[in-house]
Amino acid sequence: QVQLVESGGGLVQAGGSLRLSCVASGNIFNINTMGWYRQAPGKQRELVATMSSAGNTNYADSVKGRFTISRDNAKNTVYLQMNSLKPEDAAVYYCNLRNGGIGSFNYWGQGTQVTVSS
């Protein structure tokens, strides 16, 4: 029903920057929330940042001030600008979309690897 494709992951040195992109396609409601989650080996998947179609944002405390989420509603695309990267930011980053409405399903991308060297 909804497909999400991430890109932009890679290897970066600590203190560097990376920009992730996620393009959504399919049955996307005008009212929705898109965002980024990450999962490191041996850890649970955790929220990084989300942004609703209305522009409301939510950030994990660990990335606040360093990461910025943005989106282009017309292109059904969400971005994550990651600055001042730390080794603890290394993880597989997953794009997420949730359509508006009660009982809406969460859709996930395949993930993109972010590696941060110290």
Side-chain angles (χ1 to χ4, degrees), residues 33-102:
T33 298
M34 297 184 71
W36 296 92
Y37 293 71
R38 66 188 182 188
Q39 187 168 27
K43 293 186 177 181
Q44 289 186 271
R45 187 174 299 184
E46 64 176 353
L47 180 146
V48 178
T50 63
M51 189 172 189
S52 72
S53 51
N56 299 310
T57 59
N58 184 35
Y59 292 92
D61 288 340
S62 60
V63 307
K64 196 170 296 183
R66 299 188 297 119
F67 292 9
T68 302
I69 189 170
S70 61
R71 59 184 289 169
D72 185 333
N73 292 344
K75 295 182 177 180
N76 292 319
T77 301
V78 65
Y79 306 92
L80 185 67
Q81 179 66 47
M82 304 185 293
N83 298 326
S84 302
L85 281 161
K86 304 175 180 179
E88 50 262 46
D89 294 319
V92 177
Y93 283 69
Y94 296 92
C95 183
N96 169 269
L97 183 148
R98 185 180 73 254
N99 282 319
I102 298 173

